[in-house]
Amino acid sequence: MNMHNGSPKECLEEIIKSASAKFNESIDIAVNLGIDSRKSEEQVRGIIVLPKGIGKDIKVAAFTQDKHLLEAKKAGANIVGGENLVEDIKRGRKLDVDWCITTPDFIAKITPIAKLLGTKGLMPNPKFGTVTFNVAEAIKTIKSGQIKFRTDKNGIVHGKLGNIKFAVDDLLENLKAFLKVIKSNKPISVKGVYFKSIFLNSTMGKAYKVSKVEDII
């Protein structure tokens, strides 16, 4: 694979210019961090709200009850339900969503499907704002462009910044938000270089190594 170097803007311009697939390719990022991925205290994970969205509808399932059911529907949740929905999923209903949210008074009722949600990375978590009584607000935030991130076993964070139809300035804004959140999650025990390397590519395109990252963060 040929590598090309450049500033964030130069890399994004080249990626968009050279995209040749007949479908709308996504623009992906890989951030290689100077962490020891074997140490639990050096895992880097969290959520980012990309200011320009990700270029597709983010699907949300809301598990709740009472007045919150209507709130979730009004806020645009793709799937809304209570104990019946939990039962359906236990019986094998597929859950084709990006996020699941629930309310604190309902969290115990999703215990029967907690393992299933966990293996798909969908289990609601107060740290991610997905266990809350502010159902409408949570759905609105998620759908505006909220994504999860976590380091893999090699200490690399993978993510999407948008697609080749985005304006370069919008992609730069998303890139800046992405890197700022990862920077703010730097483990205290990491003393050396934190951002070892950053690569950008489109789905079918070459990888571009980003230089001058400090200019945007």
Side-chain angles (χ1 to χ4, degrees):
M1 182 166 55
N2 293 325
M3 293 296 180
H4 301 259
N5 296 335
S7 69
K9 189 170 187 178
E10 288 166 344
C11 291
L12 290 167
E13 285 171 345
E14 279 300 313
I15 288 168
I16 291 169
K17 192 167 77 177
S18 61
S20 58
K22 289 182 178 159
F23 62 91
N24 200 5
E25 297 179 64
S26 68
I27 293 184
D28 304 323
I29 183 170
V31 183
N32 186 11
L33 298 175
I35 62 166
D36 186 343
S37 55
R38 294 166 300 178
K39 295 179 179 174
S40 60
E41 70 273 16
E42 292 195 12
Q43 295 297 321
V44 178
R45 62 181 300 206
I47 56 171
I48 299 166
V49 178
L50 296 177
K52 298 299 179 180
I54 61 169
K56 76 177 188 80
D57 179 40
I58 299 176
K59 295 179 182 173
V60 182
F63 293 87
T64 188
Q65 59 193 3
D66 306 328
K67 66 175 184 177
H68 300 297
L69 289 165
L70 186 57
E71 282 175 28
K73 280 178 186 166
K74 281 184 177 175
N78 301 80
I79 297 172
V80 178
E83 290 178 66
N84 286 347
L85 178 58
V86 173
E87 282 301 315
D88 286 349
I89 291 163
K90 272 170 67 180
R91 292 194 195 102
R93 176 176 172 178
K94 295 283 184 282
L95 201 57
D96 179 25
V97 294
D98 304 292
W99 289 86
C100 289
I101 70 165
T102 190
T103 42
D105 62 348
F106 198 82
I107 185 78
K109 293 178 181 177
I110 63 173
T111 305
I113 57 168
K115 190 173 180 183
L116 179 71
L117 295 180
T119 56
K120 292 174 177 283
L122 293 173
M123 186 64 188
N125 186 328
K127 284 184 187 174
F128 294 164
T130 48
V131 181
T132 176
F133 283 121
N134 296 320
V135 170
E137 190 181 320
I139 293 168
K140 185 181 173 187
T141 301
I142 289 168
K143 283 187 166 281
S144 75
Q146 183 168 292
I147 59 171
K148 307 179 190 77
F149 69 90
R150 69 179 301 158
T151 43
D152 65 14
K153 63 181 182 180
N154 298 310
I156 299 171
V157 176
H158 297 274
K160 292 189 186 303
L161 297 179
N163 60 53
I164 56 168
K165 300 293 186 193
F166 276 45
V168 170
D169 285 347
D170 289 348
L171 289 165
L172 277 171
E173 207 171 320
N174 280 351
L175 174 62
K176 187 186 290 188
F178 195 98
L179 295 178
K180 278 192 168 178
V181 171
I182 291 174
K183 185 180 181 182
S184 71
N185 278 269
K186 180 182 178 181
I188 298 166
S189 54
V190 174
K191 302 300 180 195
V193 174
Y194 185 47
F195 288 109
K196 285 171 72 177
S197 58
I198 297 167
F199 293 96
L200 297 171
N201 68 281
S202 63
T203 309
M204 306 297 288
K206 302 166 184 168
Y208 289 76
K209 187 174 183 180
V210 182
S211 58
K212 302 178 187 170
V213 174
E214 58 281 356
D215 291 352
I216 65 168
I217 56 169

